[in-house]
Amino acid sequence: MEHFRGHLYNWYDTQTLKPLNPRYVSTVDSGNMAAHLVTLQAGLAQWKYQPVMSLPCILEGLSDTFSLLKDQRSDTRSDIVEQIAAKLSLMQRASPADFHAGMQALLALSVVAEQAYLPTTRLNWPALFHQQLVDFTQEWALLFSWVSPDAPLPADIPSLLWLAELNLNRPGLPEKQAETAIWAARERMAALLELDSRLSDHASMDFRFLYYPATSLLSVGYNMDSGLLDASKYDLFPSEVRLTHYFAISTSQLPAKSWFVLGRLFTQLNNQPAVMSWSGSMFEYLMPHLVMPVYLDTLLEKMALSAVRQQIASGNSTDTPWGVSESGYAAFDVNHNYQYRAFGTPELGLKRGLNDNHVVAPYATLLALMVLPQEATANLIRLKKMGASGDYGYYEALDFTADRLAPGQPFSIVKSYMAHHQAMGLLALSHQLLDAPMVARFMSSALFQSSRLLLQEKVPDDIELYTPRRSFVENSDPKQQRSIPDQREFSGSDPRQPQLQLLSNADYHLMVTHAGTGYSQWKGLALTRWRADSTSNNYGTFCYVTDQQSAEVIAHSYQPTCCERPHYKTRFNDAGIEFDASGTTFSIHTHIVVSPEDDVEIRRITVTNRSRQTRPFDITSYTEVVLAPAASDMAHPAFSNLFVQTEIVDRLEAILAHRRPREENEVTAWMFHAMAIHGNTGRQTSFETDRARFLGRGRTPADAQALMPGSELTGQQGAVLDPVLSIRQSSDVKSGRGRHHRYALRCDT
């Protein structure tokens, strides 16, 4: 299969094994795989020194299968059950020499049981019980065919290494009698060496190109087709990325400081400190613990314990089982596949909307066995009584979300099995029942031992609590007013003391002053022109509203017209920016936001006609295009403007602008400006991209020629000398009614 710097891609065609587009390297998926491959490698290295058979484990496995077999019993042959039970009990005390004879007797009984018992489920447990005995018999014949009264078994079951040198350990043994066992042991040791080599190759992944040295964080991934790192980064300690960091630090690919850069956002739950994650899921807190050790009285132990306790408390508060994590839920796509997403506990998660869904995943409780085994066992029993388990184990989830349930339906069972979640559940069971064998293998690796001090971090004595500006629980009482974000309000404008608000989604940045000026930036590029000059302060993105009957023109904000209005107000809050302005016959309300998902700013302008008759209004946008680093524009704006080209797209009522590349391999940024009127199909739209034509000779944005009565936008486009983005839409607004206009700025490559 095709690799990139040692990494497998995220998606392959299962028939051709060719990577699917986009060819994408996922940082955490690769990190999880690399760490588990090294863990597997350490386990295989120990295999040749361990007994080739564990007789107690074989008996335990047979006993478990037998207990399930009894559920399919036939009343006509109940004596078979008693005979098998007696033989299993007797073999608990059998020596290795007598063990094989006992298994032969059980094999004969299993043939009768298979014929007498009729399966009542998809799994035929009598047949599986018989197959276990057949497999054991074949394995014994392969490895211990040399056993005889003259050559008895050692007191303890031998290892592969001992069997590979059987002729030396039992010098008097005839060569022909020993060759089968010697051949089988040496073949398996050769296979172990081959696997060890292949695991080393597959675990040799390069994580350095996924690392941002400036922030000491790992990117979410790398898109091979575009050749770009994902701009998003993993920055929280409670997430699966800490296993990736641990692997990369242990292999000297990342500095140790990157471990401590991961965010530890402490909060307080039930008077105990807890660390917040992105979605508050059990997966984020406990998945790495399947292989990584957790030392007593450390941050990792406290973090896991507080997370599980909070999930238990959340379940108790709704009188439902607990255990929330990313999983499938009761919604389907067009192919009738269950949908999948991350769910979590809102008290622990930074992600918005966690209260909107209530989905319980049984594998989350299985993970919790590593932290609070008694509470987890009780919850698993409760889930089973509710029908959450099937022939192959626990189902994917129980969906309690009311919007996805029929009237009167308490919950919906997501009847699917996800291999990933089933495997984590089995590892968690082995962790609890077999004394954490995977953790022992993980720490037996010299690589991972070298960084074990990172895992012994203590909870700080003096912690700063993170308090998000939202309530965890939605207010269900309609009489109580929902709290609003912190807000600042301003009336009028004082240019000597500018107030400003910043909005951002990490890539797209918007700054707006209380006078309406400001700038838009995207990934280091200035999209619109800005000068920090308090004497003029007239750069930004503006919207003019013109009453065609009275020819009155006002802007949505104090700038750029600088007209004092009696009801001119500005409001800043975390949710956005709002402006209110009023003319003689109309008023304007503007709401500005930056999308958290896409790199776009959206401005919603509502024009309300306060006169007694229907009036026609023009809405005109205006901003100066830069599409270059701000320093370059300030150094030589005229030269910078020469490379900007505009294009009007009439059918979309939009303008595109891009900077012509100056080099062959230069990546070009494109800017998009569009305007739409809600619920109006009779509008007239015109465009302008030439600043000189918009402003006119000797004029400024305060008295632009395009705003004079009878003036029109010319539709100029292409390689203009001084580019701007301006769209005008005309529509009628009825008396007492409002008309909603939206215009957007977006940038991408």
Side-chain angles (χ1 to χ4, degrees):
M1 295 169 69
E2 183 181 339
H3 289 61
F4 179 74
R5 295 195 180 187
H7 298 262
L8 286 168
Y9 293 113
N10 248 31
W11 308 282
Y12 290 86
D13 187 302
T14 56
Q15 294 182 338
T16 65
L17 299 184
K18 298 293 184 183
L20 298 175
N21 294 324
R23 291 176 297 171
Y24 190 82
V25 173
S26 170
T27 300
V28 292
D29 290 341
S30 289
N32 291 339
M33 181 179 180
H36 284 82
L37 288 177
V38 174
T39 304
L40 176 60
Q41 187 180 17
L44 292 178
Q46 301 166 2
W47 203 352
K48 62 183 177 181
Y49 303 107
Q50 297 173 345
V52 292
M53 289 185 183
S54 173
L55 302 186
C57 287
I58 291 173
L59 273 179
E60 287 180 12
L62 285 170
S63 298
D64 289 341
T65 308
F66 177 65
S67 66
L68 294 165
L69 178 153
K70 289 190 294 185
D71 294 337
Q72 298 181 5
R73 61 181 298 170
S74 169
D75 293 335
T76 59
R77 294 304 307 270
S78 59
D79 58 312
I80 296 296
V81 172
E82 296 172 359
Q83 292 180 49
I84 293 176
K87 181 59 70 175
L88 285 172
S89 177
L90 186 64
M91 290 179 63
Q92 299 288 342
R93 300 177 296 276
S95 65
D98 298 330
F99 194 85
H100 181 246
M103 295 294 279
Q104 292 282 20
L106 278 174
L107 181 62
L109 290 171
S110 71
V111 174
V112 180
E114 187 178 7
Q115 295 172 350
Y117 287 75
L118 297 176
T120 57
T121 66
R122 292 188 185 93
L123 295 177
N124 188 337
W125 291 111
L128 292 172
F129 182 74
H130 173 73
Q131 188 60 47
Q132 280 182 275
L133 291 164
V134 169
D135 292 342
F136 168 82
T137 303
Q138 292 175 349
E139 185 76 354
W140 187 279
L142 183 65
L143 299 176
F144 300 120
S145 58
W146 52 272
V147 174
S148 67
D150 297 330
L153 274 173
D156 297 320
I157 297 294
S159 65
L160 275 179
L161 191 61
W162 192 93
L163 288 175
E165 299 175 347
L166 180 60
N167 54 344
L168 299 178
N169 293 317
R170 291 293 172 88
L173 198 65
E175 182 178 346
K176 190 170 184 179
Q177 189 175 344
E179 65 180 1
T180 301
I182 293 173
W183 172 82
R186 291 179 178 177
E187 185 181 55
R188 292 183 184 185
M189 289 181 64
L192 288 175
L193 286 173
E194 172 66 18
L195 280 173
D196 182 82
S197 175
R198 292 173 63 183
L199 289 171
S200 294
D201 291 341
H202 284 299
S204 299
M205 302 179 191
D206 181 9
F207 286 90
R208 289 167 292 190
F209 76 100
L210 296 165
Y211 181 66
Y212 282 96
T215 59
S216 298
L217 297 173
L218 285 167
S219 169
V220 169
Y222 177 79
N223 190 320
M224 179 64 180
D225 293 339
S226 66
L228 296 174
L229 280 176
D230 200 310
S232 300
K233 307 172 187 68
Y234 288 105
D235 61 353
L236 291 177
F237 188 62
S239 73
E240 56 183 319
V241 79
R242 68 178 181 271
L243 182 55
T244 305
H245 271 268
Y246 192 86
F247 174 85
I249 292 169
S250 299
T251 53
S252 301
Q253 298 188 58
L254 298 186
K257 70 175 183 179
S258 65
W259 179 267
F260 300 100
V261 170
L262 293 172
R264 293 141 170 89
L265 301 181
F266 287 94
T267 188
Q268 196 168 51
L269 299 173
N270 300 319
N271 296 321
Q272 295 294 323
V275 185
M276 300 192 71
S277 68
W278 173 241
S279 62
S281 68
M282 203 77 85
F283 177 82
E284 292 170 307
Y285 290 93
L286 300 186
M287 189 285 293
H289 294 181
L290 292 170
V291 291
M292 296 175 72
V294 178
Y295 298 104
L296 292 176
D297 198 29
T298 61
L299 173 62
L300 286 171
E301 184 203 26
K302 303 293 185 185
M303 183 175 74
L305 189 60
S306 62
V308 175
R309 283 176 173 167
Q310 182 55 47
Q311 291 232 3
I312 293 174
S314 296
N316 292 339
S317 67
T318 56
D319 194 24
T320 60
W322 52 271
V324 183
S325 196
E326 56 183 63
S327 68
Y329 60 101
F332 301 90
D333 62 11
V334 293
N335 296 317
H336 298 285
N337 297 312
Y338 283 111
Q339 297 297 280
Y340 185 93
R341 63 179 294 183
F343 303 102
T345 304
E347 291 84 354
L348 289 169
L350 297 170
K351 183 181 178 182
R352 295 182 179 180
L354 293 174
N355 267 320
D356 298 339
N357 295 275
H358 186 188
V359 180
V360 175
Y363 88 89
T365 303
L366 289 169
L367 289 176
L369 284 168
M370 300 184 291
V371 181
L372 292 174
Q374 292 184 346
E375 290 84 346
T377 302
N379 198 52
L380 288 171
I381 294 172
R382 182 180 182 184
L383 286 166
K384 188 171 184 178
K385 290 180 178 178
M386 296 175 70
S389 66
D391 292 337
Y392 303 101
Y394 283 94
Y395 289 123
E396 174 68 2
L398 275 68
D399 195 338
F400 291 85
T401 309
D403 293 344
R404 293 191 287 268
L405 300 176
Q409 184 183 14
F411 58 86
S412 175
I413 301 177
V414 180
K415 292 188 175 181
S416 68
Y417 299 97
M418 183 169 286
H420 183 207
H421 297 163
Q422 294 291 318
M424 286 193 288
L426 291 172
L427 280 177
L429 286 167
S430 73
H431 186 284
Q432 183 62 27
L433 299 175
L434 303 177
D435 197 20
M438 299 304 289
V439 173
R441 290 164 184 158
F442 181 89
M443 289 311 294
S444 69
S445 167
L447 275 178
F448 293 149
Q449 286 183 28
S450 65
S451 303
R452 64 182 181 275
L453 285 177
L454 295 176
L455 306 177
Q456 299 177 32
E457 178 184 355
K458 301 291 186 180
V459 178
D461 293 331
D462 185 17
I463 58 176
E464 181 179 351
L465 296 180
Y466 173 80
T467 306
R469 292 184 180 179
R470 59 181 172 84
S471 172
F472 288 125
V473 181
E474 296 290 344
N475 190 349
S476 58
D477 187 354
K479 297 180 181 180
Q480 297 183 11
Q481 187 176 4
R482 182 177 295 180
S483 61
I484 61 174
D486 294 342
Q487 184 164 277
R488 295 180 291 156
E489 293 192 9
F490 309 95
S491 296
S493 176
D494 184 354
R496 296 169 299 176
Q497 296 181 343
Q499 304 293 323
L500 58 88
Q501 179 76 346
L502 299 173
L503 300 178
S504 176
N505 64 6
D507 288 331
Y508 195 103
H509 309 283
L510 175 66
M511 187 278 285
V512 178
T513 70
H514 73 302
T517 60
Y519 61 75
S520 301
Q521 291 186 351
W522 178 77
K523 293 185 177 180
L525 291 180
L527 304 184
T528 61
R529 184 159 286 121
W530 162 256
R531 299 290 185 267
D533 184 357
S534 61
T535 61
S536 57
N537 191 26
N538 60 351
Y539 288 94
T541 300
F542 305 115
C543 182
Y544 305 90
V545 178
T546 305
D547 183 341
Q548 293 183 12
Q549 291 185 0
S550 65
E552 182 182 16
V553 180
I554 65 170
H556 77 282
S557 58
Y558 176 79
Q559 288 284 2
T561 57
C562 300
C563 296
E564 293 288 353
R565 299 293 174 185
H567 298 293
Y568 175 77
K569 290 184 178 180
T570 307
R571 286 182 292 277
F572 291 158
N573 58 56
D574 288 349
I577 300 164
E578 296 181 53
F579 291 98
D580 284 310
S582 62
T584 305
T585 59
F586 61 96
S587 60
I588 309 170
H589 176 76
T590 305
H591 188 197
I592 306 172
V593 297
V594 171
S595 169
E597 291 87 12
D598 300 304
D599 295 337
V600 59
E601 67 177 89
I602 300 173
R603 301 182 179 227
R604 183 188 187 197
I605 298 161
T606 303
V607 180
T608 302
N609 181 3
R610 294 190 286 106
S611 69
R612 296 184 177 181
Q613 59 183 353
T614 299
R615 304 178 78 94
F617 291 95
D618 291 339
I619 294 85
T620 307
S621 64
Y622 174 83
T623 190
E624 299 183 20
V625 185
V626 176
L627 278 175
S632 300
D633 181 63
M634 293 183 69
H636 206 315
F639 179 76
S640 179
N641 287 340
L642 293 176
F643 295 91
V644 177
Q645 185 158 333
T646 59
E647 177 185 349
I648 296 172
V649 186
D650 289 294
R651 63 185 180 84
L652 298 179
E653 298 181 324
I655 303 174
L656 289 174
H658 74 282
R659 178 167 289 277
R660 297 193 302 277
R662 298 166 63 181
E663 298 178 2
E664 183 178 353
N665 297 324
E666 182 179 345
V667 178
T668 303
W670 287 76
M671 186 175 176
F672 173 85
H673 173 41
M675 182 182 288
I677 302 179
H678 179 69
N680 184 282
T681 57
R683 57 183 175 269
Q684 298 177 358
T685 306
S686 55
F687 308 89
E688 183 61 76
T689 67
D690 189 337
R691 180 173 179 269
R693 291 173 181 263
F694 185 91
L695 296 182
R697 187 172 183 178
R699 293 175 177 268
T700 69
D703 59 348
Q705 178 65 43
L707 303 175
M708 297 296 104
S711 297
E712 296 181 355
L713 302 186
T714 65
Q716 184 73 14
Q717 61 179 318
V720 296
L721 291 178
D722 202 349
V724 298
L725 301 180
S726 178
I727 300 177
R728 173 177 294 168
Q729 290 187 336
S730 304
S731 65
D732 295 336
V733 182
K734 294 181 179 180
S735 174
R737 299 290 184 86
R739 177 76 70 193
H740 301 300
H741 303 257
R742 293 181 180 88
Y743 69 91
L745 288 176
R746 176 182 171 88
C747 192
D748 209 336
T749 54

